[in-house]
Amino acid sequence: MSLPEAFVDRLHQIVPRDHIKAILKTFDTPKQVTFRVNTLKSTPQGLETELTAANIPYQRIQWLEGAYRISPDDKLRLTQIDAFYQGRLYIQNLASMVAPMILAPQPEETILDLAAAPGGKTLMLAGMMQNTGWLSAVEPSRERFFRLRANLETQGVTNAHTYMTDGRSVGKKCPEMFDRIMLDAPCSSEARFKTHEPKSMSFWSIHKAKETSKLQKRLLLSAYDALKPGGKLLYCTCSFSPEENEGPLQHLLQRHGEHLTTLPLSLPFDNIQKPLERWGKEVFDIRIQNAVRILPTDTIDGFFLCLLQKKLC
Ligand code: SAM
């Protein structure tokens, strides 16, 4: 099945012209499989010993200790070893590992993961916090909530508190409570489209992206309310659509811009793009230029990230 025509048209308007061919190709090709060691249960050395014993050839990811990639042909075997079942490794796209790296939670802090299931980022946050402090993980979908809970248990997370609730209500319930907030927003998942998996794109439409944008705006406002003065908020999506990226940030800055700054991001690879300055008739706040769009390759998914900080007063 080919990509939706309207999606391809929009992609031409969003990503740099000289990258479009390579980007379109990534939707057709099976990606390298990436995973990381769970530092709550093992170490890079320990996991490498297990991979070698299982005869699984791996390559280290140079910019992230304890992260690896293997050929898609070896994925099945990776999911058959004890380290997988017993939670010493977690399979996760590299783009998703970048998000906790940027939010950089510290031990003993109070952290909120506002859209948490299945928990890939929550697990990494807990590891970085060394299971200390307080980590709230929110997920309203019942089925996904129980998957999140199961993942936290398998991976030995003990500092997380899970809530089956709508993230839009959290800001009012917990005003100015958190040092750092991860908002990995529900989105149209455009970066996860695969032409060999028609289901991955069967629900997509421009209308859907615009509808999702309304939810993202409300989640961002809720996250803003829940953030302590001086605290940091990471907004990210796996969508290319400006309606889901620059748009919700613009909305937040229009409402609370006098209390917010954005922080420049420095990523350890160069397949990145600056955010758009405008989309249609809308000209975006200059502060959004500190965000980053990751352009997909055969190893990393497309992603959008923006780090905000609430001013102290
Ligand atoms: N952070 C997760 C991870 O790394 O594994 C992935 C999160 S996924 C992109 C977005 C999640 O937001 C989905 O699990 C979805 O069910 C959840 N969601 C949808 N509506 C929500 C809402 N109103 N409040 C909070 N979460 C919501």
Side-chain angles (χ1 to χ4, degrees):
M1 189 173 170
S2 47
L3 293 166
E5 211 173 299
F7 168 71
V8 176
D9 281 353
R10 281 160 61 88
L11 207 55
H12 274 89
Q13 297 170 54
I14 297 167
V15 302
R17 200 177 301 169
D18 51 339
H19 284 68
I20 186 77
K21 239 173 123 183
I23 289 175
L24 286 172
K25 205 168 147 223
T26 64
F27 294 102
D28 298 331
T29 332
K31 288 231 155 82
Q32 296 267 300
V33 174
T34 58
F35 57 96
R36 59 176 175 77
V37 67
N38 171 12
T39 52
L40 297 175
K41 285 199 162 183
S42 185
T43 58
Q45 294 74 14
L47 182 59
E48 287 178 19
T49 305
E50 290 196 75
L51 295 170
T52 306
N55 220 1
I56 299 175
Y58 60 87
Q59 281 181 286
R60 294 187 186 126
I61 302 296
Q62 292 310 322
W63 47 265
L64 183 59
E65 202 200 353
Y68 304 90
R69 67 164 171 233
I70 58 171
S71 150
D73 299 338
D74 290 323
K75 182 174 180 184
L76 182 63
R77 283 201 301 130
L78 185 73
T79 59
Q80 290 167 337
I81 64 175
D82 286 350
F84 176 78
Y85 277 109
Q86 293 167 6
R88 290 189 290 282
L89 67 84
Y90 190 79
I91 297 177
Q92 187 173 36
N93 190 267
L94 293 178
S96 290
M97 299 184 205
V98 169
M101 271 172 66
I102 289 175
L103 189 61
Q106 303 299 308
E108 303 299 347
E109 283 187 332
T110 305
I111 309 288
L112 168 63
D113 189 345
L114 195 55
K121 297 181 190 67
T122 325
L123 300 170
M124 192 163 161
L125 294 170
M128 294 169 81
M129 297 165 78
Q130 298 158 21
N131 255 343
T132 67
W134 180 283
L135 174 55
S136 290
V138 170
E139 171 58 49
S141 149
R142 189 179 172 79
E143 195 190 324
R144 291 176 66 87
F145 176 81
F146 286 108
R147 248 179 90 197
L148 164 71
R149 283 262 277 251
N151 278 336
L152 294 172
E153 194 177 329
T154 310
Q155 300 256 329
V157 173
T158 54
N159 66 340
H161 305 261
T162 52
Y163 303 90
M164 199 197 307
T165 190
D166 190 317
R168 287 172 288 191
S169 66
V170 173
K172 293 280 175 271
K173 285 186 203 151
C174 312
E176 302 197 340
M177 193 180 269
F178 296 95
D179 296 304
R180 296 176 206 248
I181 299 179
M182 168 78 67
L183 175 51
D184 180 25
C187 70
S188 59
S189 302
E190 292 165 349
R192 303 268 159 87
F193 287 179
K194 296 180 182 78
T195 52
H196 51 281
E197 282 177 28
K199 241 179 100 182
S200 68
M201 46 200 179
S202 56
F203 296 107
W204 184 87
S205 68
I206 299 176
H207 176 71
K208 182 98 191 294
K210 289 184 179 164
E211 279 302 304
T212 312
S213 175
K214 291 182 195 160
L215 172 60
Q216 292 157 340
K217 286 175 184 167
R218 292 191 55 196
L219 285 169
L220 258 176
L221 292 175
S222 174
Y224 170 84
D225 287 340
L227 192 64
K228 282 184 187 170
K232 291 183 180 166
L233 160 63
L234 182 72
Y235 178 73
C236 53
T237 79
C238 59
S239 167
F240 295 96
S241 289
E243 290 86 349
E244 301 185 65
N245 295 313
E246 289 90 343
L249 291 166
Q250 174 86 349
H251 183 74
L252 175 66
L253 290 170
Q254 277 166 350
R255 292 283 190 96
H256 297 295
E258 72 279 22
H259 302 299
L260 285 167
T261 52
T262 59
L263 301 174
L265 300 179
S266 126
L267 298 193
F269 41 79
D270 55 12
N271 51 303
I272 54 175
Q273 178 196 0
K274 271 185 160 304
L276 302 186
E277 289 173 9
R278 56 166 65 223
W279 181 248
K281 289 195 185 109
E282 189 151 34
V283 177
F284 296 123
D285 189 305
I286 186 78
R287 287 171 285 183
I288 296 173
Q289 285 301 301
N290 275 333
V292 162
R293 216 177 230 99
I294 298 180
L295 302 173
T297 68
D298 68 341
T299 314
I300 191 161
D301 282 346
F303 215 63
F304 181 94
L305 303 133
C306 184
L307 185 62
L308 301 122
Q309 185 163 31
K310 199 185 231 184
K311 293 181 186 165
L312 274 170
C313 54

